């Protein structure tokens, strides 16, 4: 698999890379659902059970503001579930 921005930022720490990639994928999926529903920041906050400033940070992609747990808790209110699969690797 091609390197991501997380590989550049966290060289030598595969656990951190995986965690950052997972958080960013969750945030993008949640934001996509917010857009599909046509929610503004106030509506997103109400549906997700977060404050309006938190909804703004979410919508603006401020990943550092959200833990993995916080993002996972937001999946159900937007109708999403996690699907885990094996990543295919290529030997160099």
């Amino acid at each position: 698999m091609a390197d991501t921005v997380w590989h550049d930022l966290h060289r030598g720490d595969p656990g951190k890379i995986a965690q950052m990639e997972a958080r960013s994928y969750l945030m993008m999926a949640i934001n996509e659902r917010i857009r599909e529903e046509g929610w503004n920041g106030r509506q997103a906050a109400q549906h997700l059970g977060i404050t309006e400033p938190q909804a703004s940070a979410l919508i603006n992609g401020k990943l550092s503001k959200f833990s993995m747990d916080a993002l996972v808790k937001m999946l159900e209110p937007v109708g999403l579930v996690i699907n885990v699969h094996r990543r295919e690797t290529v030997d160099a």
Side-chain angles (χ1 to χ4, degrees):
M1 179 177 176
D3 284 354
T4 65
V5 65
W6 306 119
H7 287 83
D8 293 336
L9 294 173
H10 300 289
R11 289 240 181 254
D13 191 347
K16 184 70 171 176
I17 293 167
Q19 198 259 359
M20 295 302 289
E21 285 179 341
R23 286 174 49 211
S24 66
Y25 291 140
L26 291 174
M27 181 176 271
M28 287 186 292
I30 294 164
N31 273 322
E32 183 175 327
R33 289 292 297 135
I34 290 169
R35 281 190 304 277
E36 288 171 356
E37 293 294 333
W39 295 336
N40 62 29
R42 176 175 284 161
Q43 292 166 322
Q46 290 171 342
H47 287 281
L48 295 171
I50 60 178
T51 66
E52 286 186 53
Q54 288 171 318
S56 176
L58 178 72
I59 291 166
N60 289 309
K62 297 191 178 194
L63 190 61
S64 65
K65 301 285 185 183
F66 299 94
S67 68
M68 179 73 80
D69 286 345
L71 292 167
V72 168
K73 288 176 186 176
M74 292 182 212
L75 295 177
E76 201 275 325
V78 295
L80 296 173
V81 295
I82 294 175
N83 181 8
V84 179
H85 63 276
R86 179 182 290 198
R87 178 181 288 176
E88 296 300 322
T89 60
V90 179
D91 293 327

